């Protein structure tokens, strides 16, 4: 699913109006009907007080039009116009007149208004600001937003949480609504998935308002949202007449005394993701643990408690390196010497990334389209500090372009960056914030590259599978008890899940006609 910029959404509106021979007001009516249907399907006429806070632009026009449909179907509503400017959009004024024609008189709020009383069990519809916001809300509007938060009522936002920009952070306390639910038109917004702005949108859902399909399909976007339908085309089925050599050989390099488990987890995840052969390259101290805990893997050793040299006589398809490797003098020297002579595709994680961040000239030695899998602190060491999440993504893109590498930014919504494009993952859960989870991800991606998935597809697909395995596992363990080993054990189920179609409940949709 594509994630469109604000400019692209406005362009889609314009194209839709022209090609479908409708007015902008008719498009606004479509949006209002979709929101109404969503609410009506869930509330079925329940007499809970609904407070609609509407701005004076098109987002407010959506809210005003929604109020009309709610009133016509017998809902108990109060309508407020947040009068933050003397400017009004044409379609807002059209819908305001329609509302008044039905004897619904909204209360206009300004800096001198007494804030309305709202019960904890009431519902708030937030339609104050839309995606076109270009300045921070006035102080009195921030006071209103703070008041809405204090009521603890359920807040449903129209298209985006009011006060959020699409390309920068909100400024100051109560600068943006913290929504319980956001109904986003046609596609989700990038701000739903970034740590600093995602906190303003607890849950979201997309409403199709019929924007022009051709435009949406052809528009090139900076970001895509990755779910099952996006990764299914990547899947490479197995053929009958194949053997272990068909599915590649992964070499997993890392480990020091006390951190052999990192290599064990990566190698195990690699095997569970379908690689033909795995060899673990560890110091001597890791030999017995690997041979005992993972009999399916081959083991090469070097050094006693840490790796002093990376040299082998096998021919791996992919090398995953860095897990538990350490950043001492010996490991750093071994890694640097290895990079100077290596031509095999690489996935670099953990201490491998930390060594690179201390020796940035070595980044030039990475094979093309190497995959780097940093968590936020490792990313900061590589690309430098950022002022906000938008700057972080911009810096990651610049880094990817400079070194022709794929950067997997691990987090609640892991983002895979390759040059100017970002792919935002939808699977995974808070229980996966546990030791070894990242090692397992390196193993998953390594296995896919070994099986001849293109590096970018392997990264995107691997992140999805890893997160989906965690989602399946957490249903039995809960967040607190989820471990990396349980994630690995459920990778097979994540593959099976790719081809399972969920049952759709029969729901009779309401109409606003």
């Amino acid at each position: 699913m594509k994630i469109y910029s604000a400019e692209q959404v406005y362009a889609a509106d314009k194209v839709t109006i022209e090609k479908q021979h409708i007015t902008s007001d008719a498009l606004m009516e479509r949006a209002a009907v979709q929101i109404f249907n969503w609410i009506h399907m869930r509330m079925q006429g329940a007499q809970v007080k609904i407070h609609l806070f509407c701005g004076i632009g098109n987002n407010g026009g959506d809210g005003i039009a929604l109020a009309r449909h709610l009133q016509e179907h017998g809902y108990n509503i109060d309508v407020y116009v947040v009068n933050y400017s003397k400017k009004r959009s044409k379609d807002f004024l059209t819908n305001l007149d329609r509302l008044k024609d039905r004897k619904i008189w909204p209360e206009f709020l300004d800096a001198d208004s007494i804030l309305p009383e709202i019960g904890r069990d009431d519902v708030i519809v937030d339609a104050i600001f839309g995606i076109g916001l270009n300045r921070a809300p006035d102080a009195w509007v921030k006071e209103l937003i703070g008041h809405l938060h204090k009521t603890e009522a359920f807040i449903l936002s129209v298209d985006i949480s009011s006060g959020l920009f699409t390309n920068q952070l909100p400024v100051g306390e109560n600068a943006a609504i913290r929504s319980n639910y956001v109904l986003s038109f046609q596609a989700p917004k990038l701000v739903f998935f970034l740590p600093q702005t995602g906190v303003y949108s607890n849950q979201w859902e997309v409403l199709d308002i019929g924007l022009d399909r051709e435009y949406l399909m052809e528009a090139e976007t900076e970001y895509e949202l990755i779910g099952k339908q996006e990764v299914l085309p990547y899947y490479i089925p197995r053929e009958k007449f194949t053997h272990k050599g068909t599915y590649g050989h992964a070499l997993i390099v890392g480990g020091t005394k006390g951190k052999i488990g990192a290599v064990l987890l990566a190698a195990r995840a690699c095997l569970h993701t379908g690689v033909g052969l795995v060899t673990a390259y560890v110091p001597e101290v890791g030999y017995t643990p690997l041979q005992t805990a993972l009999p399916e893997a081959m083991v090469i050793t070097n050094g006693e408690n840490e790796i002093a040299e990376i040299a082998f006589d096998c021919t791996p398809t992919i090398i995953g390196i860095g897990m538990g490797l350490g950043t001492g003098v010996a490991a750093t020297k071994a890694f640097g010497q290895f990079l100077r002579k290596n031509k095999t595709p690489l996935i670099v994680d953990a201490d491998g990334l930390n060594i690179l961040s201390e020796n940035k000239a070595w980044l030039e030695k990475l094979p093309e389209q190497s995959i780097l899998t940093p968590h936020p602190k490792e990313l900061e060491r590589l690309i430098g500090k950022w002022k906000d999440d938008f700057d972080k993504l911009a810096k990651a893109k610049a880094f990817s372009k400079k070194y022709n590498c794929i950067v997997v930014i691990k987090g609640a919504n892991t983002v895979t960056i390759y040059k100017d494009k970002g792919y935002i993952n939808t699977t995974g859960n808070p229980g996966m914030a546990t030791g070894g989870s990242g090692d397992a991800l390196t193993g998953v991606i390594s296995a896919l590259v070994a099986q001849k998935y293109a590096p970018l597809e392997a990264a995107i697909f691997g992140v999805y599978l890893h997160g989906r395995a965690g989602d399946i596992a957490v249903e039995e363990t809960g967040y607190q008890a989820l471990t990396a080993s349980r994630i690995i054990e459920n990778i097979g189920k994540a593959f099976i899940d790719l081809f399972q179609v969920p049952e759709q409940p029969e729901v009779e949709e309401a109409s606003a006609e």
Side-chain angles (χ1 to χ4, degrees):
M1 182 185 293
K2 294 180 179 181
I3 298 177
Y4 302 95
S5 67
E7 293 75 18
Q8 287 175 314
V9 172
Y10 291 137
D13 286 350
K14 183 178 179 181
V15 169
T16 302
I17 290 166
E18 291 174 353
K19 290 179 68 173
Q20 297 181 13
H21 306 291
I22 61 173
T23 62
S24 57
D25 167 52
L27 188 58
M28 181 174 286
E29 188 69 7
R30 275 189 202 172
V33 168
Q34 287 289 67
I35 303 166
F36 168 77
N37 282 334
W38 190 94
I39 293 172
H40 189 48
M41 190 182 300
R42 286 153 182 80
M43 295 186 65
Q44 294 295 311
Q47 287 305 295
V48 174
K49 176 60 73 74
I50 301 176
H51 304 263
L52 296 101
F53 290 85
C54 307
I56 42 76
N58 282 347
N59 192 258
D62 295 330
I64 293 291
L66 169 63
R68 173 165 38 86
H69 291 296
L70 289 170
Q71 191 267 348
E72 287 174 354
H73 286 77
Y75 284 93
N76 184 11
I77 65 170
D78 281 336
V79 185
Y80 308 91
V81 172
V82 183
N83 202 22
Y84 56 80
S85 172
K86 293 181 179 180
K87 297 180 180 178
R88 277 110 171 88
S89 77
K90 175 175 67 71
D91 293 334
F92 166 81
L93 291 173
T94 297
N95 279 286
L96 184 63
D97 287 340
R98 289 173 182 165
L99 199 65
K100 292 177 178 178
D101 287 343
R102 287 160 176 78
K103 310 302 181 186
I104 304 173
W105 308 102
E107 179 181 345
F108 280 70
L109 302 177
D110 57 28
D112 298 321
S113 298
I114 297 174
L115 298 178
E117 291 187 11
I118 300 172
R120 184 175 183 178
D121 296 327
D122 295 350
V123 172
I124 294 169
V125 173
D126 156 39
I128 303 172
F129 303 117
I131 60 173
L133 184 67
N134 56 17
R135 64 179 179 86
D138 293 336
W140 73 269
V141 179
K142 290 183 179 180
E143 184 180 347
L144 170 63
I145 291 173
H147 173 69
L148 299 183
H149 291 157
K150 288 177 183 177
T151 67
E152 299 184 7
F154 183 90
I155 301 178
L156 175 70
S157 288
V158 173
D159 199 33
I160 192 170
S161 298
S162 287
L164 278 186
F165 302 97
T166 58
N167 57 2
Q168 66 184 69
L169 300 184
V171 181
E173 188 177 1
N174 291 320
I177 292 281
R178 291 181 179 267
S179 310
N180 298 96
Y181 219 100
V182 179
L183 298 179
S184 182
F185 297 141
Q186 210 64 51
K189 311 294 186 284
L190 176 62
V191 291
F192 296 168
F193 309 105
L194 304 182
Q196 291 177 306
T197 54
V199 294
Y200 293 94
S201 311
N202 189 42
Q203 290 182 278
W204 59 271
E205 189 170 329
V206 169
L207 297 182
D208 186 348
I209 60 171
L211 296 184
D212 184 72
R213 294 289 179 187
E214 184 178 7
Y215 174 86
L216 296 175
M217 289 289 290
E218 293 180 356
E220 288 292 330
T221 60
E222 284 190 60
Y223 297 94
E224 289 186 24
L225 194 64
I226 301 299
K228 182 188 291 190
Q229 296 307 311
E230 286 72 29
V231 300
L232 262 175
Y234 296 167
Y235 177 75
I236 301 174
R238 293 205 167 196
E239 297 179 2
K240 182 177 181 179
F241 296 103
T242 54
H243 51 83
K244 62 187 177 185
T246 307
Y247 302 110
H249 182 179
L251 181 67
I252 305 298
V253 182
T256 54
K257 185 177 180 180
K259 295 182 180 179
I260 298 302
V263 177
L264 175 60
L265 290 167
R268 180 178 287 154
C270 202
L271 285 163
H272 278 260
T273 311
V275 73
L277 294 167
V278 169
T279 296
Y281 193 103
V282 293
E284 189 69 34
V285 72
Y287 178 79
T288 299
L290 262 298
Q291 290 280 259
T292 304
L294 198 62
E296 298 91 344
M298 297 173 284
V299 182
I300 300 173
T301 62
N302 176 271
E304 185 177 351
N305 292 321
E306 63 179 337
I307 292 172
E309 182 184 13
I310 303 171
F312 43 86
D313 57 6
C314 60
T315 308
T317 317
I318 179 70
I319 300 173
I321 190 167
M323 299 71 64
L325 181 65
T327 57
V329 174
T332 298
K333 182 179 179 181
F335 189 44
Q337 291 175 339
F338 163 74
L339 284 177
R340 282 191 285 274
K341 61 186 178 182
N342 174 64
K343 303 297 181 185
T344 304
L346 279 186
I347 299 173
V348 187
D349 187 27
D351 286 331
L353 299 172
N354 293 329
I355 291 172
L356 286 174
S357 68
E358 292 295 325
N359 301 273
K360 289 200 167 67
W362 295 359
L363 288 162
E364 301 283 358
K365 303 296 183 182
L366 292 173
E368 289 190 355
Q369 296 189 43
S370 289
I371 301 170
L372 313 185
T373 59
H375 60 54
K377 199 63 184 177
E378 291 164 347
L379 181 67
E380 183 184 291
R381 296 183 190 117
L382 285 171
I383 68 174
K385 293 183 181 294
W386 50 80
K387 64 180 181 180
D388 56 37
D389 285 338
F390 300 97
D391 187 42
K392 174 180 69 178
L393 293 175
K395 287 180 180 293
K397 287 179 179 179
F399 180 91
S400 171
K401 289 165 68 175
K402 182 176 181 179
Y403 298 109
N404 191 15
C405 64
I406 297 160
V407 183
V408 177
I409 305 173
K410 293 185 285 196
N413 289 106
T414 293
V415 183
T416 300
I417 297 288
Y418 184 53
K419 297 188 176 179
D420 286 324
K421 188 90 173 186
Y423 304 85
I424 301 173
N425 188 53
T426 57
T427 59
N429 61 77
M432 297 176 72
T434 184
S437 178
D439 303 318
L441 176 61
T442 299
V444 171
I445 298 174
S446 297
L448 294 174
V449 175
Q451 293 170 81
K452 298 184 175 59
Y453 286 81
L456 180 59
E457 292 183 356
I460 296 168
F461 192 19
V463 168
Y464 173 88
L465 285 172
H466 178 257
R468 188 69 189 108
D471 290 340
I472 293 169
V474 83
E475 292 178 5
E476 293 183 354
T477 66
Y479 293 147
Q480 290 76 10
L482 185 60
T483 63
S485 292
R486 292 301 292 270
I487 295 169
I488 293 167
E489 290 164 7
N490 282 279
I491 292 171
K493 291 181 181 178
F495 273 107
I496 293 170
D497 179 73
L498 286 171
F499 303 99
Q500 292 180 336
V501 180
E503 293 184 7
Q504 298 294 330
E506 293 185 7
V507 179
E508 184 178 348
E509 185 171 298
S511 172
E513 293 180 358

